[in-house]
Amino acid sequence: MKSIRYIVVLIVAMTLAPAYAEVRDSIEGGKGFWQDFEYEVNAGTNIGGTSPIPLPAEIRHIDSYNPKLNLQLGATVTKWLGFKKKWGVAVGLRLESKGMETKATVKNYGMEIYQDGKKLAGRWTGKVKTRYSSQQMIIPITAVYKVNPRFKVNFGPFLSYAFSNTFDGHVYEGYLREGDPTGDKVVFEGDAKATYDFNEDLRHFQWGMQGGVSWMAYKHLVVNANLTWGCNNIFVSSFKTISFNMYPIYLNFGFGYVF
């Protein structure tokens, strides 16, 4: 995990280096840093999910996937640098939702369930339905490169704070081995099911990387597409029921108005 972090830091440094050089030259050259700002308000929708990378052996098959309707509203300020204004630095603020609903077939999947008011913990084999949703405030800080007057790309890190989190669902058509894979067997057949709720175990602060493109369709109307990839587990480090990390990976499509 440390090596991955080092690689991410190196990529960010290499990406932001040209923009930093332009900032330094702009200030030293007396060009006036507080000039050449661009302002954008935008809206869009997120499509994606929260997943382990790669899929672990416990998840045998994804039976269904529903991306839900995840809306986003935000604003971005870009400072264009240098004489040619090819490079820029952008800071944004977004309010958005991320969510999904899945059904999967699993084997020896870590689980804590509630049956008739009683809590059971162990390894689940069978069907599991999961609902995930998160309402977040996100601050991306990216380097921007203008390929031509109508097309630009961006890349950089983001920070997020989730002020509302949900991760719950139910299990059915299977059995739970209490404690470990050799423990007592609790069978669920027919319409029998048991619920689970990991809401309190979700992390509020997250960070990750964003990369995307923007195309100026008209004089002030811009079309955006951005991929955000969370770099830390959505669960707090003390949560051990699910034995693998899960990362939010979402593709945002939207539009904006540029001032």
Side-chain angles (χ1 to χ4, degrees):
M1 189 64 187
K2 289 184 178 179
S3 61
I4 295 176
R5 292 177 180 174
Y6 293 149
I7 292 172
V8 169
V9 171
L10 179 61
I11 292 174
V12 173
M14 293 176 62
T15 303
L16 295 178
Y20 168 77
E22 297 253 15
V23 171
R24 181 196 59 202
D25 295 344
S26 179
I27 293 176
E28 292 178 354
K31 298 177 182 178
F33 181 78
W34 299 107
Q35 299 178 2
D36 302 316
F37 278 92
E38 179 181 278
Y39 304 91
E40 177 187 334
V41 292
N42 46 63
T45 182
N46 290 311
I47 300 174
T50 301
S51 172
I53 302 296
L55 285 179
E58 292 92 328
I59 301 178
R60 297 305 175 94
H61 187 260
I62 303 298
D63 301 326
S64 69
Y65 162 74
N66 184 345
K68 297 295 186 179
L69 180 62
N70 304 305
L71 300 179
Q72 168 258 317
L73 292 172
T76 303
V77 178
T78 303
K79 165 63 179 176
W80 293 107
L81 308 168
F83 178 74
K84 295 183 178 180
K85 298 179 179 57
K86 284 284 189 178
W87 282 97
V89 177
V91 178
L93 178 64
R94 300 197 301 265
L95 296 175
E96 64 182 38
S97 59
K98 294 179 178 178
M100 66 170 189
E101 185 175 293
T102 63
K103 293 181 180 180
T105 301
V106 301
K107 184 175 182 179
N108 292 330
Y109 185 85
M111 182 56 63
E112 293 181 354
I113 59 177
Y114 294 90
Q115 182 188 33
D116 301 326
K118 181 182 178 182
K119 183 178 179 180
L120 302 174
R123 298 288 178 171
W124 171 260
T125 296
K127 304 289 187 179
V128 57
K129 180 178 181 179
T130 298
R131 294 181 295 268
Y132 170 72
S133 67
S134 182
Q135 284 69 50
Q136 302 180 358
M137 178 179 69
I138 297 180
I139 301 175
I141 304 171
T142 59
V144 186
Y145 180 72
K146 189 180 293 183
V147 179
N148 59 51
R150 302 187 66 179
F151 186 76
K152 59 186 179 182
V153 297
N154 73 84
F155 181 77
F158 70 84
L159 302 174
S160 72
Y161 175 78
F163 48 85
S164 177
N165 278 324
T166 301
F167 193 103
D168 59 17
H170 64 264
V171 297
Y172 59 104
E173 294 181 12
Y175 60 88
L176 181 80
R177 290 284 189 180
E178 292 191 74
D180 57 53
T182 62
D184 293 338
K185 188 176 184 180
V186 182
V187 179
F188 292 80
E189 296 178 326
D191 295 331
K193 63 181 181 180
T195 61
Y196 67 91
D197 184 340
F198 300 150
N199 298 347
E200 298 301 319
D201 300 300
L202 288 166
R203 190 187 303 271
H204 287 284
F205 288 97
Q206 296 179 352
W207 71 278
M209 303 300 296
Q210 170 181 309
V213 298
S214 298
W215 178 63
M216 188 69 72
Y218 297 100
K219 184 177 181 180
H220 294 284
L221 179 65
V222 63
V223 179
N224 301 314
N226 289 289
L227 176 67
T228 60
W229 192 301
C231 293
N232 57 342
N233 188 10
I234 65 169
F235 292 108
V236 296
S237 58
S238 59
F239 180 70
K240 303 299 183 182
T241 301
I242 296 179
S243 58
F244 44 81
N245 291 344
M246 300 188 70
Y247 304 97
I249 305 168
Y250 283 85
L251 181 62
N252 177 277
F253 292 101
F255 60 91
Y257 185 88
V258 178
F259 295 89

